[in-house]
Structures are given as structure tokens and as C-alpha cells.
């Protein structure tokens, strides 16, 4: 599937989701005002906390799992906090790389968690599997870009990748935000070709 086809599919899904949310949102607002004040405050806080978890999506190479709703800030497929691949199992690689080659990694800051006093960063790394050690290939400072900002970075596939048949490219969002989880993870499984 080409990037144009993926973007078109995402656009159609987002359009469909917006149309589906119009009536339920009105129902929820009407319902919430019939709840006693203390319970209403509790529900609003719970909804806000559930919505405000930090998020990061890996676009290219494609992340493990789906890319549903990635054009919506706060997408559930972009909120993985379990080390080192968000708890998602390895998948069949859909991209091939070669040791020493340049490769462009594209990811999305799905939800902003920048704090001026302690700005975080994004990291792109590569390893043999999600349980092993990852070698950092690039680091990009979080400068407070808005949610849904796309980042692309050219990286060089490490020479030690020659011994791998399948590798893992990992992207992380290290927030350094005391009110957010410390790190968000995404991984993609890639074939590693020999010369």
C-alpha cells in the first residue's frame, strides 16, 4: 500500500469517526449533567486522564499493531509505555534494510507533552530483538511542536546488523514531563539483507 493510499484511508476513517461522534457526544454531555456534582467531577477527571496520556506513532517503517486514528491526537495505538516495544509482539517484517545503508525513519508526535523546564527528546534505535540492547542511531530534541507533528530522520543502519536476519527499529518519546509517563515506545520489525 502506498503512502498516498494510507493517507486516503486514514482521511476516510477520520471523516467516518467524526460523523459517528456527533450524536454520542451530545448524549454524553446531557447524561453527565444529570449526575451529582462529586461523581461528575470524578468522571471528568477520569476521562481527561484517559485522554491525556502521551502518544507517539511510528509511520515508516510501519509500527507493530495498527495505525488506526493516528491523525487524531491521543490515538490509542500510539500510547505504548511498556519497555521496550510497548508490549507488542514481533510481526512479520514489511521493510528490508542493509547494514551501512541510509534509511529514513518517520514518526509522529501524536500528543504533545513538552515542558519548558525539562524538555524531552525522541530517539531512534536498532537492535536484534525487543529484549536485547538497542543502539541509538539518532536523537531529536522535543522543542514543543504541536500534537500530530511528523518528524523524519535519516539514519545509517549499523554495521553490526550484518549478523541479523531480522532486526528491530525502535522509536521512543522520552517526555521528561513529571505529569506524564517517562517513555513511550514503538517498534517495527525489518528484514536485514546481506550484500
Amino acid at each position: 500500500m502506498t503512502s498516498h493510499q494510507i493517507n486516503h484511508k486514514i482521511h476516510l476513517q477520520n471523516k467516518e469517526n467524526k460523523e459517528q461522534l456527533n450524536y454520542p457526544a451530545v448524549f454524553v454531555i446531557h447524561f453527565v449533567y444529570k449526575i451529582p456534582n462529586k461523581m461528575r467531577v470524578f468522571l471528568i477527571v477520569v476521562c481527561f486522564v484517559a485522554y491525556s496520556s502521551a502518544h507517539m506513532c511510528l509511520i515508516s517503517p510501519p509500527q507493530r499493531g495498527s495505525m488506526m486514528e493516528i491523525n487524531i491526537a491521543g490515538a490509542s495505538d500510539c500510547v505504548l509505555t511498556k519497555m521496550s516495544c510497548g508490549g507488542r509482539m514481533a510481526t512479520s517484517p514489511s521493510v528490508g534494510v542493509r547494514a551501512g545503508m541510509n534509511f529514513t525513519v518517520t514518526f509522529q508526535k501524536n500528543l504533545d507533552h513538552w515542558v519548558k523546564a525539562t524538555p524531552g527528546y525522541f530517539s531512534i534505535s536498532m537492535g536484534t530483538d525487543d529484549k536485547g540492547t538497542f543502539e541509538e542511531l539518532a536523537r531529536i530534541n522535543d522543542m514543543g511542536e504541536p500534537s500530530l507533528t511528523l518528524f523524519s530522520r535519516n539514519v545509517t543502519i549499523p554495521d553490526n546488523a550484518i549478523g541479523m536476519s531480522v532486526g528491530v527499529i525502535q522509536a521512543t518519546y522520552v517526555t521528561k514531563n513529571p505529569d506524564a509517563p517517562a517513555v513511550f515506545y514503538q517498534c517495527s520489525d525489518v528484514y536485514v539483507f546481506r550484500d
Side-chain angles (χ1 to χ4, degrees), residues 47-65:
C47 290
F48 177 75
V49 169
Y51 178 78
S52 66
S53 299
H55 299 68
M56 190 215 27
C57 298
L58 184 57
I59 309 296
S60 176
Q63 67 190 23
R64 292 178 180 178

Side-chain angles (χ1 to χ4, degrees), residues 30-181:
H30 178 73
F31 175 75
V32 166
Y33 280 101
K34 291 189 173 206
I35 296 174
N37 280 344
K38 287 182 182 180
M39 182 61 112
R40 185 178 332 147
V41 169
F42 173 76
L43 285 174
I44 290 170
V45 168
V46 167
C47 290
F48 177 75
V49 169
Y51 178 78
S52 66
S53 299
H55 299 68
M56 190 215 27
C57 298
L58 184 57
I59 309 296
S60 176
Q63 67 190 23
R64 292 178 180 178
S66 79
M67 291 195 197
M68 295 297 292
E69 300 179 345
I70 64 167
N71 284 345
I72 299 172
S76 60
D77 272 323
C78 305
V79 62
L80 307 180
T81 58
K82 187 174 178 185
M83 189 181 212
S84 62
C85 288
R88 292 211 168 138
M89 301 300 294
T91 59
S92 295
S94 61
V95 173
V97 296
R98 181 171 281 121
M101 79 178 270
N102 289 326
F103 183 79
T104 302
V105 176
T106 302
F107 61 92
Q108 178 196 61
K109 179 183 189 179
N110 186 260
L111 195 60
D112 179 33
H113 283 278
W114 181 76
V115 175
K116 185 177 183 177
T118 58
Y121 62 90
F122 304 94
S123 177
I124 301 168
S125 305
M126 186 165 183
T128 54
D129 61 40
D130 53 359
K131 296 174 188 69
T133 303
F134 286 86
E135 177 182 343
E136 186 173 67
L137 307 177
R139 184 178 284 200
I140 301 103
N141 291 328
D142 183 4
M143 305 295 285
E145 296 86 350
S147 299
L148 305 178
T149 297
L150 291 176
F151 296 85
S152 288
R153 180 59 56 104
N154 287 327
V155 299
T156 301
I157 303 302
D159 289 333
N160 63 3
I162 291 172
M164 303 178 203
S165 58
V166 174
V168 178
I169 293 179
Q170 176 197 61
T172 58
Y173 179 10
V174 180
T175 66
K176 293 190 178 182
N177 180 335
D179 297 325

